[in-house]
Amino acid sequence: MCGIVGFVGNEQAAPIVLEGLSRLEYRGYDSTGVAVYAPEKGLQVRKAKGRLQVLSDQLHGGVDLPGTMAMGHTRWATHGVPSDVNSHPQVSTNGRFAVIHNGIVENYMEIKEFLMDHGVQFVSETDTEVVAQLLDYLYDGNLLETVEKMLHRIRGAYSFGIICADEPDKMVGVRKDSPLLLGYGEGFNFFASDVTAFIDRTREVSYLDTNEIAVVTREGIQVYNEYLEPVEKERHHVDWDISAAEKGGYAHFMLKEIMEQPEAIRKTISPRIQNGRVVLDDLHYEADYLNNLDKIYIIACGSSYHVGMAAKYSLEKLLRKPVEVALASEFRYCDPLVTDRTLAIVISQSGETIDTLTAMREAKRLGARVLSIVNVVGSTIARASDDVLYTWAGPEIAVATTKAYSTQLAVIDLLALNFAQTMGTIDQAEYDAILSDLQAIPDKLEQVLKQKDEIAYFASLYFNQSSIFFIGRHLDYAIGMEGSLKLKEISYIHSEAYAAGELKHGTISLIEDGTLVVALASYTPLFEKMISNVVEVKSRGAEVVGLTVDSHSEEMSKTADHIITVPDIHPMLLPSLNVVPMQLFAYYVALQRGCDIDKPRNLAKSVTVE
Ligand code: M6R
């Protein structure tokens, strides 16, 4: 995720801001930049694609930029590829405003068109430049009022740092649904997206709430609400050490990323839902092309492959087209049946997985059109595809994927709705029902996450198991596969996922007294069949943790030893909720076993060798 740090005080600011940015490097980024104000030089901006060290070397650690007020940014590309020009700060054409930004401005295109109609010329592809130019367009000599007007024109989830050359020694910080903190010192003050950025200089902080605006000077910080009424902020003393601070106070990146999922999904879906419709601006698929498809191939590895397993059910149901899901490492060697009427959907968090990349090239060579779903903007797979849809999960640091997986699922849901509407294979009532439940996922996930202590308790009961089985049917089976992979990759416990109906064909012989079976039974049409499977394994001595929806909790608790529930939701969207208890269970089991959770043995975050 992007990082923000701003400082105003009595010392030279650029070295302090570069130091703050270095503490945000762990979050992942692809470019950096700083804006410094000095009375004799005005507003100066320096940016560079790549590592912070590149920028720091160019500026001799910041010494080259005089001035006691500065703000800096580490960018994780969303709108526009990583490049010098797309890096932040973004500056208005006349150089009056510099803006750094985390998050997404959803209506940036309409504002950009409005400003272009008024003669404004843009140099970058970013939504952030739109904000810098809009501020300049609205500026009436009062920075605070101009920021307030700007906030009423934009939509999205964001935090901003703003400097105006006409109002020196004053920085403005704003947030809506993307964190921004204030740091209070003696003769200096900060804003930052993360306490790590300034924890070496002050531990006195307050947290901006949504729609609050902070005016930061060296003498103090004044916070206003969106109507410009002053707000008194409560201060907190942070006693975390640096490494805990990097993880936002969580013990591991994996847990932090699990907890970030509601926000990651919100960011991925909300800009793409406009006036009750899914709008995928970057895609241009005609009804004729889609209706003539002979097949959709989904190609991926690991957890991304498991997203494909879930996607098969929803795409086939809504589009009435055959969907084949292939492991990328198998696809290229299986002489696949691909024609120019085949659409290949390639899923990858990193966009660099070599198996997926080579399989994708093979699909293209055989005539398929390739649509990729990727998290890392500008990655090799994204660049080599015909079309790309980005998941906006932000950087994922833990090797075990969580929020990238969830946002991939969300993108598949958007795609299924969009294609089905284009093809005419969905009626309006069904479309509206799914879309409305899709938008409810982040809030429902917050409820699921509240059960984490209970799931930690179940983990404490079962962390010593030598083998754990996940059973489910239909979409629950696909989620069982992901739950099983999560568990084995970080806890090193042997685990398997089975389609529950397959048990009697061999697998059930593995069940003995005390074996833990996690039974996923949330898919209503097959709930009763799942209960029969739970009875089968229990009568062979298994202990069962059942996962179901609230409306089946009573029934499930009659059979399973323990239950976890998720809120009811349209069946197609169940995986988005069900996967989270599986992630938490794997996490707490691994924690009990003392494993290296963020960096499990023998594994790499991005697998770039075959
Ligand atoms: O970056 P990708 O999505 O292409 O990576 C694919 C797999 O390597 C990845 O999902 C892996 O299985 C994860 N470690 C699972 O948590």
Side-chain angles (χ1 to χ4, degrees):
M1 216 107 48
C2 306
I4 284 179
V5 53
F7 168 88
V8 53
N10 294 311
E11 294 172 65
Q12 190 182 5
I16 294 171
V17 163
L18 289 174
E19 173 67 23
L21 289 180
S22 74
R23 295 184 192 281
L24 300 181
E25 282 192 288
Y26 75 92
R27 296 158 66 103
Y29 64 98
D30 47 52
S31 49
T32 60
V34 285
V36 182
Y37 181 82
E40 60 284 5
K41 300 227 174 202
L43 189 56
Q44 296 192 80
V45 172
R46 298 286 185 278
K47 308 193 278 191
K49 180 183 165 191
R51 311 300 302 163
L52 178 63
Q53 197 59 46
V54 175
L55 181 69
S56 186
D57 287 349
Q58 284 172 13
L59 302 174
H60 297 101
V63 174
D64 289 2
L65 288 177
T68 55
M69 179 172 81
M71 62 182 190
H73 190 257
T74 48
R75 175 176 187 249
W76 171 266
T78 56
H79 295 63
V81 295
S83 68
D84 289 359
V85 76
N86 285 335
S87 309
H88 304 192
Q90 289 291 324
V91 182
S92 57
T93 307
N94 59 10
R96 184 188 279 135
F97 279 94
V99 176
I100 54 179
H101 167 208
N102 288 359
I104 288 171
V105 177
E106 291 170 9
N107 58 336
Y108 81 105
M109 266 323 272
E110 77 192 44
I111 299 173
K112 189 169 183 173
E113 279 160 20
F114 167 84
L115 292 169
M116 284 165 76
D117 287 346
H118 287 75
V120 178
Q121 292 188 342
F122 286 82
V123 294
S124 80
E125 301 163 80
T126 64
D127 49 347
T128 311
E129 186 187 359
V130 173
V131 173
Q133 302 283 19
L134 178 63
L135 283 166
D136 195 54
Y137 174 82
L138 297 171
Y139 189 58
D140 57 2
N142 184 318
L143 173 58
L144 185 59
E145 286 177 14
T146 303
V147 170
E148 183 242 14
K149 283 186 206 148
M150 178 273 289
L151 291 177
H152 287 109
R153 298 279 285 262
I154 64 169
R155 290 196 307 272
Y158 46 73
S159 51
F160 295 113
I162 300 166
I163 293 180
C164 174
D166 288 6
E167 302 195 29
D169 297 333
K170 180 195 284 182
M171 306 182 299
V172 170
V174 186
R175 77 156 278 196
K176 178 171 177 274
D177 297 329
S178 179
L180 199 68
L181 291 84
L182 306 170
Y184 301 83
E186 290 291 324
F188 66 87
N189 289 297
F190 282 96
F191 58 60
S193 50
D194 191 323
V195 70
T196 336
F198 55 65
I199 200 168
D200 57 328
R201 289 183 174 255
T202 177
R203 289 171 178 271
E204 299 305 309
V205 306
S206 62
Y207 301 90
L208 269 192
D209 288 319
T210 274
N211 291 329
E212 287 182 341
I213 307 171
V215 177
V216 183
T217 64
R218 64 177 57 80
E219 290 80 26
I221 302 179
Q222 178 61 57
V223 177
Y224 301 88
N225 66 18
E226 61 184 312
Y227 307 107
L228 299 191
E229 296 156 345
V231 174
E232 272 312 307
K233 297 302 291 181
E234 193 186 339
R235 291 198 196 182
H236 305 266
H237 181 79
V238 173
D239 51 15
W240 300 333
D241 62 18
I242 290 276
S243 88
E246 283 180 349
K247 294 171 192 139
Y250 291 106
H252 297 94
F253 283 111
M254 182 179 175
L255 186 57
K256 176 170 178 275
E257 288 161 5
I258 289 173
M259 302 305 283
E260 282 172 353
Q261 288 178 107
E263 195 196 340
I265 293 176
R266 219 173 260 129
K267 276 190 185 155
T268 298
I269 63 173
S270 53
R272 290 157 166 161
I273 300 173
Q274 290 163 25
N275 304 320
R277 286 188 62 221
V278 175
V279 179
L280 303 175
D281 278 332
D282 307 335
L283 297 193
H284 305 284
Y285 285 85
E286 306 294 336
D288 276 356
Y289 169 80
L290 292 172
N291 282 317
N292 276 324
L293 286 175
D294 56 7
K295 180 190 335 189
I296 296 174
Y297 242 125
I298 301 184
I299 305 168
C301 302
S303 294
S304 299
Y305 169 78
H306 294 152
V307 170
M309 294 296 292
K312 175 180 167 69
Y313 292 105
S314 39
L315 291 174
E316 284 190 340
K317 175 116 181 81
L318 293 196
L319 311 185
R320 305 315 298 155
K321 288 282 175 195
V323 177
E324 196 162 333
V325 191
L327 287 165
S329 52
E330 290 292 315
F331 175 86
R332 55 191 291 227
Y333 302 115
C334 72
D335 199 5
L337 296 173
V338 171
T339 71
D340 60 1
R341 289 170 51 221
T342 305
L343 173 66
I345 301 179
V346 168
I347 308 176
S348 175
Q349 186 284 131
S350 61
E352 302 295 345
T353 303
I354 197 73
D355 287 327
T356 310
L357 179 62
T358 45
M360 175 184 130
R361 288 188 175 135
E362 177 66 0
K364 260 190 142 174
R365 191 186 68 76
L366 294 169
R369 178 167 170 179
V370 173
L371 164 59
S372 64
I373 298 174
V374 174
N375 194 40
V376 179
V377 174
S379 56
T380 312
I381 290 174
R383 282 184 281 116
S385 325
D386 296 303
D387 307 283
V388 55
L389 274 174
Y390 286 110
T391 50
W392 287 324
E396 200 177 54
I397 293 167
V399 165
T401 183
T402 52
K403 62 177 181 169
Y405 173 94
S406 295
T407 51
Q408 288 168 350
L409 278 179
V411 167
I412 287 287
D413 296 331
L414 290 169
L415 191 69
L417 284 173
N418 182 269
F419 279 5
Q421 192 168 52
T422 307
M423 296 164 76
T425 51
I426 189 168
D427 65 45
Q428 195 60 42
E430 175 85 342
Y431 183 92
D432 292 344
I434 299 175
L435 190 59
S436 142
D437 274 14
L438 181 60
Q439 288 171 288
I441 288 177
D443 289 346
K444 293 191 181 208
L445 266 188
E446 309 268 9
Q447 292 175 45
V448 176
L449 288 166
K450 285 191 185 134
Q451 297 175 68
K452 75 181 184 12
D453 294 342
E454 211 176 328
I455 295 168
Y457 167 68
F458 297 148
S460 75
L461 299 179
Y462 296 114
F463 74 95
N464 267 329
Q465 294 266 326
S466 56
S467 219
I468 296 180
F469 298 95
F470 292 75
I471 60 170
R473 290 168 180 261
H474 199 269
L475 282 163
D476 283 327
Y477 171 45
I479 292 303
M481 293 172 84
E482 176 61 6
S484 171
L485 176 62
K486 278 292 84 86
L487 183 78
K488 62 190 137 198
E489 82 178 310
I490 60 169
S491 75
Y492 318 142
I493 295 180
H494 168 256
S495 165
E496 310 249 5
Y498 291 109
E502 270 294 291
L503 288 173
K504 57 187 168 301
H505 299 291
T507 313
I508 204 157
S509 63
L510 293 169
I511 306 294
E512 51 191 20
D513 267 352
T515 304
L516 177 63
V517 174
V518 178
L520 293 105
S522 64
Y523 185 64
T524 295
L526 297 173
F527 179 72
E528 284 180 1
K529 294 215 179 297
M530 271 306 298
I531 291 292
S532 304
N533 294 130
V534 172
V535 172
E536 264 166 28
V537 294
K538 277 212 61 78
S539 60
R540 270 96 184 160
E543 299 232 355
V544 174
V545 173
L547 184 138
T548 192
V549 285
D550 287 339
S551 55
H552 295 315
S553 63
E554 207 180 314
E555 202 54 34
M556 188 75 182
S557 52
K558 289 183 194 155
T559 323
D561 297 284
H562 309 282
I563 66 163
I564 303 167
T565 60
V566 298
D568 286 85
I569 196 162
H570 188 285
M572 184 180 123
L573 307 175
L574 278 167
S576 294
L577 303 185
N578 286 351
V579 74
V580 173
M582 301 295 99
Q583 297 165 346
L584 286 167
F585 182 70
Y587 172 80
Y588 285 114
V589 167
L591 190 68
Q592 291 275 349
R593 292 166 68 90
C595 298
D596 187 355
I597 293 179
D598 286 336
K599 292 194 181 79
R601 68 184 180 208
N602 308 337
L603 291 176
K605 182 70 186 158
S606 178
V607 184
T608 52
V609 288
E610 200 181 348

